[in-house]
Amino acid sequence: MRSLKIAAIPADGIGPEVITAGLQVLEALGQRMGDLSFDVTTFDWGSDYYKANGTMMPEDGPEQLKGFDAIFFGAVGAPDVPDHITLWGLRLPICQGFDQYANVRPTRILPGIPSPLQGKKPGDLDWVIVRENSEGEYSGAGGRVHRGLPEEVATEVSIFTRAGVARVMRYAFKLAQSRPRKLLTVVTKSNAQRHGMVLWDEIAAEVSQDFPDVTWDKMLVDAMTVRMTLKPESLDTIVATNLHADILSDLAGALAGSIGVAPTANIDPERRFPSMFEPIHGSAFDITGKGIANPVATFWTACQMLDHLGETEASARLMKAVETVCADGVLTPDVGGDATTQQVTDAVIQAIHGSNE
Ligand code: IPM
Ligand code: MG
């Protein structure tokens, strides 16, 4: 019996609703597999914790997480706490503190989920976006002087290091190499941003030498939005900076039908620390408490978590169950259905038990 130690941080908004769904599905998967179980510890960190304690997590929070195999994260953000506090108080310290430098965001059109792209169906859009997750525009470097005065100045400095760019580039080339099409698109804005982005282009060319079987090309980020929309089948693996990939991954989610189905993995490829798995959608206050949050992104990120932990059979089984349920039309309202979170969850659990491969 293999037992995986999972730290669950449901946090804010619909986070608890989708993480509850995700844990139910993992439990069922463990039973179905017979030789796999999940030892889950749930942490109450987030905006409510902040309102009670003045910090989003305890000071030794990261220390408490170190011994886990993985972190299963819901969402952060509350209407009455500034976003930069929730973000810099919980999610970024974990990503950056655990050096989860590769943020991996698969997007596909799932069966049964309509894409806003006319005539596009499953298979026409099958991408993985690799987002640099430790520096760039999210480095937090900068400051403000002369606060509130007319001469106030704020700087927001992007930091690109050779080591930081090279490691995520290598990760992306390797990932592209592992996929059937062996195709990588490197996204920058090196026409206008002539320092950091030119460094990206140079490093891409250098790293590509070690991957002669990977076909790769370069795109400027603005032109990339057009290509994603008009020629989705021309793309496979994509690598971009922290901010560019943040924006492109929302577009990707929308083009695949909903960001309610889009997952993300914050990976420490060197496995020095636990990696963190979460849905992309965020806390979604407008639907919090209504029981209609789409749990598919959380199930999909659970698949990423299982893959990362070497449980590829369990992962494939879960993904297949999710696809079966979507194809059967058991969908939440964001993707055109009328099912609740629990109904989708129950259907996936049933599909897990029903599948006999
Ligand atoms: C994401 C999110 C976050 C980000 C937000 C919540 C700050 O949009 O994971 O894509 O920009 O990193
Ligand atoms: Mg985003």
Side-chain angles (χ1 to χ4, degrees), residues 21 24-25 28 295-296 299 317-318 320-332 339-355:
Q24 287 177 42
V25 156
V296 167
F299 299 158
R317 194 182 288 275
L318 174 53
K320 185 150 186 282
V322 169
E323 292 188 29
T324 302
V325 166
C326 290
D328 286 349
V330 186
L331 304 169
T332 46
T340 63
T341 311
Q342 194 59 52
Q343 284 167 335
V344 176
T345 307
D346 291 343
V348 169
I349 290 172
Q350 216 182 354
I352 287 169
H353 286 302
S355 68

Side-chain angles (χ1 to χ4, degrees), residues 34-289:
D35 56 358
L36 179 64
S37 69
F38 300 92
D39 173 8
V40 180
T41 306
T42 302
F43 294 85
D44 65 350
W45 306 341
S47 295
D48 287 342
Y49 186 95
Y50 174 80
K51 284 178 221 162
N53 302 285
T55 55
M56 292 288 290
M57 65 174 155
E59 212 174 314
D60 70 343
E63 210 42 54
Q64 292 188 41
L65 296 174
K66 271 191 185 156
F68 287 88
D69 292 315
I71 304 163
F72 197 34
F73 192 90
V76 276
D80 48 357
V81 183
D83 282 341
H84 66 273
I85 290 184
T86 51
L87 184 64
W88 285 95
L90 187 58
R91 194 170 155 273
L92 286 183
I94 297 173
C95 290
Q96 296 188 352
F98 287 169
D99 210 11
Q100 295 163 345
Y101 63 83
N103 182 269
V104 182
R105 304 188 154 190
T107 315
R108 275 191 283 133
I109 299 177
L110 296 180
I113 297 192
S115 161
L117 295 174
Q118 246 173 24
K120 298 296 176 198
K121 42 184 200 325
D124 293 337
L125 189 165
D126 182 353
W127 304 333
V128 185
I129 298 180
V130 177
R131 171 179 178 181
E132 199 294 315
N133 211 33
S134 68
E135 54 175 36
E137 308 86 345
Y138 280 57
S139 66
R144 288 173 69 172
V145 290
H146 310 308
R147 272 188 190 251
L149 298 174
E151 58 271 37
E152 179 166 4
V153 178
T155 59
E156 191 74 50
V157 182
S158 298
I159 293 188
F160 300 101
T161 64
R162 175 169 283 280
V165 178
R167 65 185 186 172
V168 80
M169 197 65 75
R170 195 161 285 284
Y171 185 89
F173 268 97
K174 253 194 216 149
L175 182 64
Q177 194 176 44
S178 75
R179 289 170 54 87
R181 294 174 70 192
K182 302 192 193 308
L183 183 63
L184 176 69
T185 300
V186 178
V187 179
T188 64
K189 185 67 189 170
S190 52
N191 55 349
Q193 297 181 305
R194 59 201 174 130
H195 309 296
M197 295 290 79
V198 174
L199 178 66
W200 266 72
D201 281 351
E202 287 171 11
I203 291 175
E206 286 167 26
V207 172
S208 73
Q209 303 288 315
D210 295 338
F211 298 87
D213 54 340
V214 173
T215 308
W216 71 286
D217 60 4
K218 291 191 291 186
M219 287 296 291
L220 298 174
V221 66
D222 47 351
M224 184 66 173
T225 61
V226 178
R227 179 163 165 198
M228 286 168 72
T229 310
L230 299 182
K231 288 196 182 147
E233 40 313 272
S234 75
L235 296 161
D236 186 79
T237 309
I238 297 160
V239 62
T241 71
N242 216 327
L243 183 63
H244 288 163
D246 173 43
I247 298 164
L248 295 181
S249 59
D250 264 26
L251 176 61
L255 295 177
S258 166
I259 66 162
V261 303
T264 182
N266 300 279
I267 305 273
D268 164 23
E270 277 80 46
R271 297 171 185 271
R272 298 153 294 175
F273 302 103
S275 293
M276 179 160 72
F277 301 84
E278 56 176 339
I280 287 187
H281 51 60
S283 43
F285 320 122
D286 51 331
I287 57 160
T288 299

